């Protein structure tokens, strides 16, 4: 009887041990979700550092310029020396033509090249009665 009781204990112990080993932790990590790429509007929405500005191909002193496209689709610009360039209002990115539209089309900024999280180049054109159309190019970088 002692042998039978000892054998039963051994069997129960081995069964419990097998269950514990079989129910151990899963070493396979959960898959990491792939981040979604940012849209152009999400990449535009920030306060930018002005790297350079040229007007009619000539450099402009832009040390005091500030350009911010906010995520709530408003903007704020401090850009002296640029005739007719707005200072605040609403903006939206228009994929067709790669345009940043200000104030429902009052001003269109033509994006040059590719919008990234670290760089944005756009052009603003205004009429000048002596020179014709004048192109102003803004080159911006991450703050």
């Amino acid at each position: 009887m002692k042998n039978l009781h000892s054998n039963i204990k051994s069997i129960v112990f081995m069964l419990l041990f097998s269950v514990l080993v079989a129910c151990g932790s899963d070493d396979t990590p959960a898959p990491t979700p792939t981040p979604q790429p940012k849209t152009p509007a999400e990449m535009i929405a920030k306060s930018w550092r002005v790297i350079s500005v040229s007007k009619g191909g000539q450099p402009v002193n832009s040390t005091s310029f500030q350009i911010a496209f906010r995520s709530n689709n408003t903007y704020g610009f401090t850009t002296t020396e640029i005739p007719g360039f707005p200072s605040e209002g609403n903006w939206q990115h228009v994929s067709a033509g790669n345009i940043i539209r200000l104030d429902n089309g009052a001003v269109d900024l033509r994006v040059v090249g590719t919008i990234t999280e670290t760089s944005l180049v756009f052009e603003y054109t205004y009429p000048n009665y002596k020179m014709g159309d004048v192109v102003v190019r803004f080159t911006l970088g991450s703050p």
Side-chain angles (χ1 to χ4, degrees), residues 2-3 8 24 26 32 38 53 68 85 88-89 92 94 96-97 119 122 128 134:
K2 263 186 173 179
N3 253 351
I8 290 175
D26 186 4
T32 305
K38 288 188 174 183
V53 177
F85 201 65
E88 60 184 31
Q92 69 181 43
V94 180
S119 69
F122 64 83
N128 180 290
V134 177

Side-chain angles (χ1 to χ4, degrees), residues 52-60 82 124 134-139:
S52 67
V53 177
S54 65
K55 179 169 65 172
Q58 300 300 311
V60 173
I82 309 298
Y124 160 68
V134 177
V135 177
V136 182
R137 180 178 279 217
F138 291 83
T139 302

Side-chain angles (χ1 to χ4, degrees), residues 5-50:
H5 192 13
S6 178
N7 284 343
I8 290 175
K9 280 184 179 180
S10 295
I11 291 172
V12 168
F13 176 76
M14 288 195 320
L15 284 173
L16 284 174
F17 181 76
S18 297
V19 167
L20 288 174
V21 169
C23 294
S25 69
D26 186 4
D27 291 338
T28 306
T32 305
T34 305
Q36 295 296 317
K38 288 188 174 183
T39 65
E42 289 171 327
M43 289 188 279
I44 292 169
K46 67 174 70 175
S47 291
W48 290 91
R49 180 175 51 90
V50 178

